[in-house]
Amino acid sequence: MHMSLSKFESMLKTNSIYFFDLVEFEEIIVHYLDTGKHSLAKKAVKLGLEQHPTSVDLKLLEVEILIFDNKLEKASQKLRRIELLAPNNEEVYIQKATILSKSGSHEESIENLKIALIHADDKVDIWSMMGMEYLYLDNFEKARLSFAKCIDVDYEDYSSLYNVVYCFDMQKNHEKAIIFLNAYLDKNPYSEVAWHQLGRQYFVLKRYKEALTCFDYAVLIDESFIGGYLEKAKTYEQLGDFEDAIKNYMLTLELDDPTAFAYVRIGECYQKLGKLDSAIRFYKKSVHEDPFLDKGWILLTEAFYEQKDYQKALYYISKAIKIDEYNTFYWRKYSDINIKLNSFKEGVKGLEKCIELNDCSIEIYIALSDVLLLIGDFNDAVKVLVSAQETYKDAAEIEYRLSGLSILLNNENKALTHLVNGMELDYDQHIIMKDLFPIVFVNLKVQELLSNYKKAME
């Protein structure tokens, strides 16, 4: 093979013409296709067809290149001519199926693959292609059966094994997946991949002890199997054994380059153990490893917030917002932290951003109106609450706030109307008046209304 390649490339450089037999040309073309050297593959096809113009195999390789270049119409035309010459060649139908698949005609593609199966001696690749076509159609049952046939031929076809399990997952047939994988392991007991996949099924079903046993077998078979250690760590977390979870995450860092994901998980385990300083150290490692990991920044925010170090919390939440400025949870946290720091205008900015991003929960409206009340922007606070009432028409907490604000704005009649509305909706929430509007609460008319309503209730 090496000599044929050297001879071919020498011919291209010198413009000489050397003769190659058909098998040599096929090997040269396939080599270039496999190594991604499509321009050389095209030259080899062209020269090959000049020397062997009747070769169906070379013509099929030419079609394969046309399909790769997305020249589907031209490829189809050539295939029609090849089919007349070789109607029993399975590759004709495989290429037709590929073109139809690329065109979105998956059912027609499957029909051509069925014809290919009739003519093929080696059916594995065709079953695999059929499985993929069924996946495009979301027909997980037929896809699974197609991939299962590939495994029957080659028990180490892990790509098909993954696809079979994927089909079970999509059908939420985890119990059937367990039966299938156990049967597979009866025939191939030293497959770390199968033990890993079996463990995942038990994990989904919250059968964590059984999952852990499977992952133990996986890493026993292959001590460098990172996926096994990751799943072991996640399972230990579910079992509340955070120390062992950390040990397994640490093993993944030793076996391969560190990942932000592992650092985050280690940090969260330390936080659950109450070791906040260690948690922060690993959260910092996670954002150092991946500065665009907003989860790392938000975890740092929460950790420093817990320590009441609001200045650092503000620094880290600002980092998270730079990465995902459309995340309303981040803006809520930004507002909360700024309010803790008495930066009320920034607190208002964060809450207004939430509403702008369609986070229109009543808590956001209430929080915004309360901050505006705090800084003396009574009219704006009223506007916010009136806007909230468009969605939350029967909210006592809004009525009581509008009542208090109306008195502060010297509109006593409106204030009393809102107070009555609030009492009718939920009398017990009148405590809002006492907490937010202590001066208003002692107003004689307010006290009289509250007292009369209470008596009426009794």
Side-chain angles (χ1 to χ4, degrees):
M1 175 63 182
H2 179 71
M3 288 182 64
S4 297
L5 284 172
S6 299
K7 180 180 170 185
F8 179 76
E9 290 178 12
S10 172
M11 180 182 74
L12 293 178
K13 290 175 185 176
T14 60
N15 290 321
S16 304
I17 301 295
Y18 301 143
F19 180 81
F20 296 86
D21 65 33
L22 188 55
V23 173
E24 284 181 306
F25 265 123
E26 288 175 13
E27 289 178 345
I28 290 167
I29 295 162
V30 170
H31 170 78
Y32 286 140
L33 288 174
D34 289 345
T35 55
K37 297 177 179 178
H38 285 84
S39 60
L40 288 172
K42 288 177 189 177
K43 289 177 181 177
V45 165
K46 183 174 180 295
L47 290 166
L49 285 170
E50 286 174 2
Q51 294 185 12
H52 306 278
T54 61
S55 169
V56 169
D57 290 334
L58 288 179
K59 289 176 181 178
L60 284 167
L61 286 168
E62 182 184 26
V63 169
E64 186 176 335
I65 292 169
L66 288 170
I67 293 171
F68 179 84
D69 289 340
N70 215 32
K71 296 177 180 178
L72 303 184
E73 185 55 41
K74 192 173 180 180
S76 295
Q77 289 171 2
K78 287 186 177 292
L79 267 179
R80 283 193 286 271
R81 290 197 289 270
I82 297 170
E83 188 176 357
L84 293 173
L85 296 170
N88 297 327
N89 188 317
E90 74 269 20
E91 192 65 30
V92 172
Y93 302 101
I94 290 171
Q95 298 288 18
K96 284 175 73 175
T98 302
I99 292 169
L100 288 163
S101 179
K102 278 178 166 282
S103 304
S105 302
H106 301 295
E107 290 179 356
E108 289 181 64
S109 176
I110 290 166
E111 292 307 311
N112 276 276
L113 289 170
K114 287 178 180 177
I115 297 170
L117 280 173
I118 296 168
H119 302 295
D121 294 324
D122 184 358
K123 302 179 189 294
V124 172
D125 288 343
I126 301 172
W127 284 326
S128 181
M129 289 179 71
M130 286 181 74
M132 293 307 299
E133 294 305 308
Y134 282 124
L135 284 182
Y136 288 131
L137 294 169
D138 290 337
N139 190 331
F140 300 111
E141 184 65 19
K142 287 188 176 179
R144 180 179 63 77
L145 293 172
S146 296
F147 291 123
K149 288 176 183 176
C150 300
I151 297 170
D152 287 340
V153 174
D154 178 7
Y155 255 67
E156 293 192 357
D157 182 354
Y158 290 134
S159 175
S160 291
L161 180 64
Y162 282 123
N163 282 323
V164 166
V165 175
Y166 172 77
C167 291
F168 278 124
D169 284 342
M170 294 305 293
Q171 294 177 299
K172 300 192 185 307
N173 284 337
H174 303 296
E175 294 287 359
K176 287 185 179 179
I178 288 170
I179 293 168
F180 171 83
L181 287 164
N182 274 315
Y184 176 94
L185 284 163
D186 285 342
K187 296 178 181 177
N188 191 11
Y190 298 105
S191 168
E192 72 278 13
V193 172
W195 282 112
H196 174 258
Q197 291 298 305
L198 181 59
R200 281 185 61 253
Q201 299 304 312
Y202 283 125
F203 186 93
V204 171
L205 295 172
K206 299 183 179 180
R207 292 161 64 176
Y208 299 121
K209 291 287 180 69
E210 290 159 292
L212 196 58
T213 299
C214 294
F215 299 136
D216 278 335
Y217 278 125
V219 297
L220 191 64
I221 294 164
D222 181 358
E223 293 181 354
S224 63
F225 186 22
I226 292 173
Y229 293 111
L230 278 174
E231 296 297 339
K232 275 187 72 175
K234 287 161 63 178
T235 308
Y236 276 125
E237 281 193 73
Q238 292 299 323
L239 292 167
D241 187 346
F242 301 114
E243 294 281 4
D244 276 327
I246 290 168
K247 287 175 187 174
N248 279 275
Y249 283 126
M250 288 292 199
L251 278 170
T252 69
L253 300 179
E254 293 173 16
L255 290 168
D256 200 358
D257 294 333
T259 64
F261 170 81
Y263 284 139
V264 161
R265 301 307 303 160
I266 292 167
E268 289 186 301
C269 288
Y270 273 123
Q271 190 159 0
K272 286 168 185 171
L273 288 167
K275 299 178 180 180
L276 200 54
D277 288 339
S278 294
I280 288 170
R281 182 158 53 88
F282 279 94
Y283 294 151
K284 286 181 176 179
K285 285 176 181 282
S286 78
V287 294
H288 176 76
E289 190 66 35
D290 182 1
F292 294 101
L293 181 70
D294 49 331
K295 184 175 182 180
W297 296 115
I298 195 65
L299 286 167
L300 281 165
T301 300
E302 298 283 11
F304 283 109
Y305 186 92
E306 190 177 325
Q307 291 184 330
K308 294 184 168 52
D309 190 340
Y310 301 121
Q311 204 63 55
K312 283 185 180 176
L314 180 61
Y315 171 78
Y316 290 118
I317 194 62
S318 298
K319 290 278 193 181
I321 287 171
K322 280 183 181 177
I323 295 166
D324 184 2
E325 61 181 307
Y326 301 104
N327 190 312
T328 55
F329 173 76
Y330 296 171
W331 283 109
R332 282 192 186 202
K333 202 70 188 177
Y334 177 85
S335 176
D336 183 17
I337 294 166
N338 273 291
I339 291 167
K340 295 284 188 189
L341 291 167
N342 295 324
S343 298
F344 300 115
K345 287 189 177 179
E346 286 299 311
V348 167
K349 174 186 169 183
L351 293 166
E352 287 179 339
K353 192 70 178 177
C354 288
I355 294 172
E356 182 187 320
L357 294 170
N358 294 317
D359 181 1
C360 300
S361 63
I362 192 168
E363 293 83 9
I364 294 293
Y365 284 116
I366 294 298
L368 179 54
S369 70
D370 288 352
V371 180
L372 290 168
L373 167 66
L374 192 63
I375 61 179
D377 288 348
F378 303 146
N379 284 309
D380 286 342
V382 169
K383 287 177 185 176
V384 168
L385 292 169
V386 169
S387 178
Q389 277 191 317
E390 293 176 9
T391 305
Y392 306 99
K393 301 183 187 304
D394 298 318
E397 54 264 58
I398 292 177
E399 293 290 354
Y400 285 119
R401 282 173 170 81
L402 284 171
S403 176
L405 285 163
S406 295
I407 287 185
L408 293 178
L409 291 168
N410 300 314
N411 195 332
E412 190 175 88
N413 289 335
K414 188 176 280 190
L416 297 176
T417 300
H418 285 301
L419 179 56
V420 170
N421 291 342
M423 289 189 295
E424 288 179 348
L425 289 166
D426 187 344
Y427 177 80
D428 290 339
Q429 287 202 51
H430 75 270
I431 195 71
I432 290 169
M433 298 286 287
K434 185 177 181 180
D435 292 340
L436 291 179
F437 308 96
I439 296 174
V440 173
F441 185 71
V442 296
N443 179 287
L444 291 177
K445 290 186 178 178
V446 169
Q447 284 295 314
E448 185 180 352
L449 272 174
L450 288 168
S451 178
N452 289 340
Y453 195 89
K454 187 177 181 181
K455 287 176 183 175
M457 288 172 62
E458 294 171 351

